[in-house]
Amino acid sequence: AMKYYVEAANAGSAQAQCEVAMAYITGNGLTADLNEAHKYINAACQQEYPRAYKLAGDVYYYGIGVETDVNEAATWYKKAVDAEYLEAYPDLAAMYIYGIGGMPENEKTGFDLYKKAAEAEVTGGYAGLGMCYEFGYGTSKNMYSAIQNYKKAAEKGNNYSQYHLYRAYREGEGVTKDTQQAIQYLRQA
């Protein structure tokens, strides 16, 4: 499959360029090579492919083969959000919540971005909404809503949500205290 992705990427397919870039980043299907990954991400960005914008944001946010630069990451996440790439909404939302990457601290904007992502069933949107409801970021604290959103994200394998459900069930916060349920979520996390 990777052979065909590489051929399509080299022929100019932005979608294939993103797939090849991910393979070079993870070493899954191709030998890990961050320089090659960046080449393919840049090619897809030049075609204004929204998923490539998110990947570029991740590269800078996590320092994947480059110096970590949250301001550059925010620029790319913003481009992805402006192109309505829903998977990038939670990334930009977190930057607004915490006021990082040159984004002004604006909990309401962060909450709204998480909500849009959750409405589109993006896992990070559910996890972010859970956090917002638990801690009152951009909305009123509501542990019931936090638990409901954490559960939706946990079902999709989100470790952050699984851990917060573990804590909730261990302490009986917003749910009936249940050690067995807590252990189940801890194991998942």
Side-chain angles (χ1 to χ4, degrees), residues 69-147:
D69 185 339
V70 293
N71 291 332
E72 188 68 18
T75 298
W76 287 108
Y77 289 148
K78 179 93 170 72
K79 284 183 92 150
V81 167
D82 288 346
E84 299 184 19
Y85 185 68
L86 294 165
E87 294 291 331
Y89 281 48
D91 301 294
L92 191 61
M95 293 185 144
Y96 276 111
I97 295 281
Y98 299 112
I100 60 173
M103 296 292 114
E105 186 175 321
N106 187 326
E107 293 178 0
K108 179 67 174 132
T109 298
F111 174 81
D112 291 342
L113 286 167
Y114 280 133
K115 188 173 183 182
K116 286 178 185 175
E119 287 169 353
E121 299 184 9
V122 173
T123 304
Y126 291 131
L129 272 184
M131 176 191 70
C132 287
Y133 282 121
E134 181 175 1
F135 299 107
Y137 298 142
T139 189
S140 300
K141 287 185 179 184
N142 182 330
M143 202 56 187
Y144 176 80
S145 293
I147 297 296

Side-chain angles (χ1 to χ4, degrees), residues 1-12:
M2 196 49 62
K3 174 184 176 246
Y4 292 112
Y5 274 128
V6 170
E7 286 179 18
N10 290 336

Side-chain angles (χ1 to χ4, degrees), residues 1-10 15-41:
M2 196 49 62
K3 174 184 176 246
Y4 292 112
Y5 274 128
V6 170
E7 286 179 18
N10 290 336
Q15 179 182 355
Q17 289 165 343
C18 288
E19 294 300 329
V20 171
M22 285 302 299
Y24 275 125
I25 289 170
T26 63
N28 186 10
L30 294 171
T31 302
D33 185 332
L34 299 180
N35 290 327
E36 284 296 303
H38 294 169
K39 180 178 94 174
Y40 284 102
I41 292 170

